[in-house]
Amino acid sequence: EMNVNEVKAVTVLATNEGANTWTSAGGYKLAALNQSGNFVSGDRTLSSSESIGYEQSKSFIFNITAPTVDTVTTYTMGWQMKQNSVAFGNKITKTVTVKPNYEELTLGSFKNVSGKATSQMYMFTVDNSGYYAIRTFYYSKDTDTILTLYNSSMTELAYNDDIYSGNRYSRIEAYLTPG
C-alpha cells in the first residue's frame, strides 16, 4: 500500500537462461508492463559496459512513485525482459494500492476552500450513529459544487451536485455509523 507521491525502492532480479548474451547493443532491457507506467518512466536498460551471459543474473534497482489518485486505486504493475520490442521469459507482477491524500477534519468543523476548479478530499471519523449533514455554503451562479461521501472502504454512500438541486450549494444528509 502506498500514498500519493510516496516513493519506494524496487528490485527485480532477471536471470539469463538462454543462449544469447544480454547487452544494451543487442536491445535487451527490463520493460515496464501493465499499469507500471503510472509509477515509473521508461524501461530499464543495461549500461553499454554490461553483459549478462548464460546463468548470470542482473538486479535492476529503481524507484517507483505513486501517482495522484482521487480515490483508493489498485494497480497491477509488471516487468518482463524484452529484446527490442519482443518480450520473453517470465513476467513479474505486483499489485499496489494507492491511497489519496486526505485532510482530516473534526466533526462540526468548517473549512474554507478558495479558487475555482478545486478538488479537495477530507476525512472525518464518526463516533456515534446518527444523521450527519455535509454541505457547502458557496452561493454563485458560476460555481458548480459537488459533494461525494464515501465510507472507509471507498464505497460511495451519497452524491450531490448543486446544478441538479438548483440551490447553488451542495448538501448531503446521511445516516452514518462508526467505522
Side-chain angles (χ1 to χ4, degrees):
E1 190 169 278
M2 297 177 74
N3 294 315
V4 168
N5 296 323
E6 182 179 353
V7 177
K8 285 195 175 182
V10 172
T11 302
V12 176
L13 179 68
T15 302
N16 184 346
E17 295 177 352
N20 298 327
T21 298
W22 298 348
T23 64
S24 176
Y28 289 90
K29 60 191 168 195
L30 179 67
L33 306 173
N34 306 331
Q35 299 170 332
S36 305
N38 292 311
F39 291 80
V40 296
S41 57
D43 299 329
R44 301 294 176 247
T45 57
L46 301 170
S47 71
S48 59
S49 63
E50 283 183 296
S51 65
I52 304 166
Y54 177 66
E55 291 190 345
Q56 291 182 330
S57 297
K58 156 88 174 153
S59 289
F60 291 89
I61 302 170
F62 51 93
N63 290 333
I64 60 171
T65 303
T68 300
V69 294
D70 291 331
T71 62
V72 174
T73 306
T74 300
Y75 295 91
T76 300
M77 296 190 295
W79 293 273
Q80 187 173 18
M81 288 301 297
K82 283 188 177 182
Q83 182 183 21
N84 298 315
S85 61
V86 179
F88 65 91
N90 295 332
K91 291 180 188 176
I92 296 177
T93 60
K94 179 75 175 171
T95 301
V96 178
T97 301
V98 179
K99 296 187 320 183
N101 290 333
Y102 300 106
E103 181 178 339
E104 191 157 356
L105 297 179
T106 58
L107 291 176
S109 64
F110 292 87
K111 178 70 180 175
N112 289 326
V113 178
S114 61
K116 294 183 180 180
T118 301
S119 176
Q120 301 288 331
M121 299 189 77
Y122 303 103
M123 178 176 62
F124 58 91
T125 303
V126 174
D127 295 324
N128 298 304
S129 298
Y131 279 96
Y132 291 84
I134 299 100
R135 59 185 168 241
T136 64
F137 287 106
Y138 193 87
Y139 295 90
S140 171
K141 292 185 178 185
D142 63 350
T143 301
D144 182 19
T145 57
I146 298 171
L147 289 174
T148 307
L149 176 66
Y150 298 92
N151 66 12
S152 59
S153 300
M154 293 309 292
T155 301
E156 184 177 308
L157 299 177
Y159 173 87
N160 184 276
D161 184 341
D162 63 4
I163 286 179
Y164 301 115
S165 69
N167 294 325
R168 294 324 236 169
Y169 68 92
S170 292
R171 178 184 176 102
I172 290 175
E173 288 189 19
Y175 184 82
L176 303 178
T177 59

